Amino acid sequence: MKPEPINAGPLEDRVEALKPDDLTRALEEFRAVMTRDHAAALASCVHCGLCSETCHYYLATRRLDAIPAYKLGLVASVFRRHEGLLGKVAPGWVGARTLNHETIKAWIDALFGRCSLCGRCALNCTMGINITAAIRAARGVLAALDLVPPGLKSTVDTALIKGNNMGISENDFVETLAWLEGEMQSDAGFETARMYVEETGCRMLYTLNPREVMFFPLSIVAVAKIFHAAGESWTFSKDGFDVTNYGLYDGSDAHAGTMSGRLVTSMERLGAGTLVLAECGHGFNSNRWEAPQWLNRRYPFEVKSILQVVAGYLRDGRIKVDAAQNTQPVTLHDPCNLVRLGGIVEEQRYLLRHTARDFREMTPNREHNYCCGGGGGQLAMTNYADRRLEAGRIKADQIRRTGAKIVAVPCHNCIDQLMELNKHYGLGVELKTVCELVANALVVEP
Amino acid sequence: MGCINVSGRGVQINEEGFLQNPGEWNREVARELACTQEGLTDLTDEHWSVVNCIREHYLEHDLAPMVRKICVTTGLKLTRIFELFPSGPAKGACKVAGLPKPDGCV
């Protein structure tokens, strides 16, 4: 393999323009985000190489610079240079690198350009190093310098300025829900089903990925139908509805806290009992696990995935389903942030076993499943699209081996990447959310 | 970064097949994008009604329209939009209409 010259892609000129003051600020930021846990992680890698075989970027390309230990090493070498005695007096001996223009370019290229923060390397690390968290922290240093690749940066900016990551206005949101309500009520058995907005005191506040409202609304109808069939008390908030959190991906805890805080504000304003997160992997990980730390507070309410809620309906007999409605072979994609990093593993399988005639697992599956390649903000970073599609081959091969015609995908971000893999690798499959399959199998009284 | 050939003229597209410069769009460019990037063999009147609706909204608001607006303006059913543009309204129809890639999970 011939090494390519490392560059920062569309950020190249901006990195070149960094002044000594900027580099000092970068180092201060780096020291600030390097907690004890990160420091221990950066000092612990024994270069055993086991992580190479866990990473879809490495498996698809066999590039040495795609190996997780290499990517972690880019961060660790800077830590050694600035925090360790040997690194200060004899950097060459210990492979220490100064935080300068070249290292920043290498960080951008590897940490944004060859990592989807999927956590598969960390799960398999012999030393138990949370490589994913260390890489996210280093991304946060780049975010503090405003060195985030353009597509990811504009998605974060849109969310921060406009309240959701696609800039949907309150009016457009409410009008779309009204339109969908009309469409839903024309389906037999759902004549009285509703889309509730701004109701107070409900049991559940439901959230959405903005792409559902903007372009792919059938998944919203599916969940509303399930809520109707279960007789649930639920509502949307007119402004705090965005389940996504691209602050998880640009690495900025401040950005991430602002985004998750909006859902908390909606919960408190509407007095709902449970915050229910749509089928969105990183939105689940962010809002269920990370957000209380970002906001430095305990939540006085429950946070659940819609999959937990719907699996509960089925277990408790609140909905009835007929698997004969979904006869095509179905397989299931495990979104990294929902499954490996989120802990929602069996609910989706329980639902699919009851709502599809022929449910087939991929291999490997559950927490060992491969990333689709679209996580970590990859889908937003157009400049790395070629690498994303190349790395997605591992997932495409997994899907093809199942022979399934439908892939159930409990994450809208993964769906988009899988739509591209479907086209690029000619898989010939249909992609659906789990709730779309459940809604299709619902048995409702006439 | 790539290039499509429109009547002997090179038009730049980005890594995902979206126009690099949305100002270079015309009907011929749309046809070329549809064929080379979206695998569509022809743009029918229905395709054009969606493309024109998106283009007009973009020129006025600098934003892609929501799929509701596309359905209401064109009178097409939601499912029909997905049949016309298998990559969906964002990566299919917006691309053919010459818009930049929308933000978010697309």
Side-chain angles (χ1 to χ4, degrees):
Chain A
M1 182 191 76
K2 197 173 160 215
E4 290 168 21
I6 288 174
N7 70 73
L11 298 171
E12 183 75 8
D13 293 345
R14 300 254 307 280
V15 177
E16 287 289 346
L18 290 176
K19 300 198 167 52
D21 277 0
D22 298 320
L23 295 174
T24 307
R25 197 156 55 82
L27 190 56
E28 282 166 9
E29 188 66 30
F30 182 58
R31 287 186 165 130
V33 301
M34 282 298 125
T35 59
R36 180 174 56 187
D37 289 348
H38 293 315
L42 295 179
S44 301
C45 177
V46 294
H47 304 280
C48 70
L50 191 73
C51 57
S52 56
E53 297 287 332
T54 70
C55 176
H56 55 298
Y57 277 96
Y58 178 75
L59 290 174
T61 63
R62 300 284 162 181
R63 294 174 61 100
L64 299 180
D65 57 7
I67 295 176
Y70 170 84
K71 295 179 254 191
L72 183 73
L74 290 174
V75 184
S77 59
V78 172
F79 187 78
R80 278 198 296 278
R81 173 67 184 85
H82 296 284
E83 295 293 337
L85 179 65
L86 270 178
K88 281 179 187 158
V89 297
W93 284 5
V94 292
R97 287 157 55 119
T98 307
L99 187 58
N100 58 21
H101 297 85
E102 294 313 306
T103 42
I104 286 175
K105 284 181 197 176
W107 276 19
I108 292 170
D109 184 68
L111 310 186
F112 279 120
R114 279 188 224 285
C115 175
S116 60
L117 299 177
C118 79
R120 200 164 187 272
C121 54
L123 179 72
N124 289 284
C125 174
T126 45
M127 299 300 290
I129 301 171
N130 192 342
I131 302 169
T132 322
I135 288 180
R136 178 180 181 268
R139 280 189 180 196
V141 175
L142 297 170
L145 292 178
D146 200 18
L147 291 173
V148 175
L152 178 54
K153 180 178 159 48
S154 68
T155 298
V156 170
D157 288 348
T158 302
L160 291 174
I161 296 163
K162 300 197 170 164
N164 62 78
N165 77 12
M166 290 188 121
I168 297 165
S169 72
E170 207 173 287
N171 199 28
D172 271 339
F173 179 56
V174 173
E175 279 181 17
T176 292
L177 292 177
W179 171 67
L180 290 174
E181 186 176 84
E183 298 275 309
M184 173 168 67
Q185 289 175 349
S186 65
D187 289 345
F190 297 96
E191 293 79 359
T192 58
R194 295 281 318 276
M195 292 278 176
Y196 297 100
V197 195
E198 288 292 292
E199 303 278 329
T200 53
C202 293
R203 270 169 39 90
M204 296 188 178
L205 175 74
Y206 187 53
T207 55
L208 290 172
N209 184 316
R211 85 194 280 282
E212 297 179 83
V213 189
M214 191 83 183
F215 295 128
F216 298 92
L218 293 173
S219 50
I220 308 176
V221 174
V223 172
K225 283 181 173 177
I226 297 169
F227 279 150
H228 174 75
E232 189 55 83
S233 139
W234 70 284
T235 187
F236 286 116
S237 155
K238 64 182 169 25
D239 44 16
F241 66 84
D242 184 355
V243 70
T244 73
N245 192 321
Y246 274 65
L248 182 73
Y249 294 153
D250 82 350
S252 162
D253 286 358
H255 293 164
T258 301
M259 294 175 206
S260 284
R262 288 179 181 139
L263 299 184
V264 178
T265 306
S266 288
M267 283 297 290
E268 288 171 341
R269 184 168 53 78
L270 297 173
T274 304
L275 175 61
V276 181
L277 306 169
E279 291 182 59
C280 172
H282 87 279
F284 180 80
N285 185 19
S286 296
N287 292 300
R288 170 63 183 88
W289 298 114
E290 302 288 347
Q293 279 74 249
W294 291 330
L295 297 168
N296 195 25
R297 61 172 292 185
R298 273 189 193 194
Y299 283 5
F301 48 79
E302 272 194 308
V303 184
K304 283 187 175 174
S305 160
I306 183 70
L307 298 171
Q308 293 173 285
V309 172
V310 177
Y313 294 156
L314 189 59
R315 235 180 346 250
D316 300 342
R318 287 176 66 180
I319 56 171
K320 289 193 176 64
V321 290
D322 175 12
Q325 298 303 314
N326 294 314
T327 51
Q328 297 254 58
V330 177
T331 190
L332 170 69
H333 168 61
D334 285 300
C336 310
N337 274 292
L338 181 76
V339 181
R340 182 161 45 244
L341 300 168
I344 303 299
V345 184
E346 297 303 330
E347 285 84 350
Q348 54 273 45
R349 294 178 157 77
Y350 172 73
L351 288 168
L352 290 176
R353 279 197 299 272
H354 286 84
T355 52
R357 272 272 169 82
D358 178 357
F359 167 52
R360 311 167 175 190
E361 289 280 4
M362 287 185 206
T363 309
N365 56 54
R366 296 179 168 82
E367 67 272 28
H368 299 290
N369 201 11
Y370 287 108
C371 176
C372 63
Q378 290 302 335
L379 212 51
M381 295 185 275
T382 298
N383 56 304
Y384 297 126
D386 293 347
R387 295 181 187 179
R388 164 167 60 78
L389 282 178
E390 190 180 26
R393 181 173 59 79
I394 306 301
K395 174 57 59 182
D397 289 346
Q398 260 193 306
I399 292 172
R400 206 192 303 273
R401 281 197 300 271
T402 65
K405 291 289 167 216
I406 294 174
V407 186
V409 189
C411 171
H412 290 278
N413 186 80
C414 298
I415 284 183
D416 216 270
Q417 162 76 348
L418 292 172
M419 279 172 72
E420 288 205 32
L421 296 183
N422 199 16
K423 191 162 109 184
H424 189 77
Y425 293 101
L427 297 176
V429 293
E430 221 183 316
L431 303 157
K432 291 192 180 291
T433 64
V434 173
C435 286
E436 282 172 354
L437 288 165
V438 173
N440 195 48
L442 276 177
V443 178
V444 284
E445 304 299 325
Chain B
M1 217 84 72
C3 203
I4 52 168
N5 190 318
V6 184
S7 326
R9 186 170 61 96
V11 176
Q12 297 280 323
I13 54 171
N14 75 9
E15 290 85 344
E16 296 186 74
F18 285 82
L19 277 192
Q20 197 65 27
N21 171 12
E24 287 191 286
W25 187 87
N26 59 38
R27 289 173 68 90
E28 228 178 316
V29 170
R31 266 188 221 101
E32 198 59 27
L33 286 168
C35 294
T36 61
Q37 304 303 309
E38 288 306 300
L40 303 174
T41 45
D42 192 22
L43 288 181
T44 61
D45 288 348
E46 281 183 318
H47 284 105
W48 279 115
S49 69
V50 174
V51 168
N52 291 335
C53 159
I54 293 176
R55 189 77 197 165
E56 280 160 23
H57 190 277
Y58 172 68
L59 291 178
E60 196 175 328
H61 304 280
D62 205 28
L63 267 179
M66 322 231 335
V67 73
R68 167 181 55 89
K69 284 195 177 145
I70 302 174
C71 289
V72 170
T73 308
T74 62
L76 295 167
K77 287 294 242 183
L78 190 54
T79 46
R80 185 68 189 138
I81 309 276
F82 289 96
E83 286 166 12
L84 291 169
F85 295 94
S87 308
K91 282 187 173 158
C94 286
K95 184 184 287 173
V96 175
L99 272 61
K101 191 184 123 171
D103 289 328
C105 293
V106 294

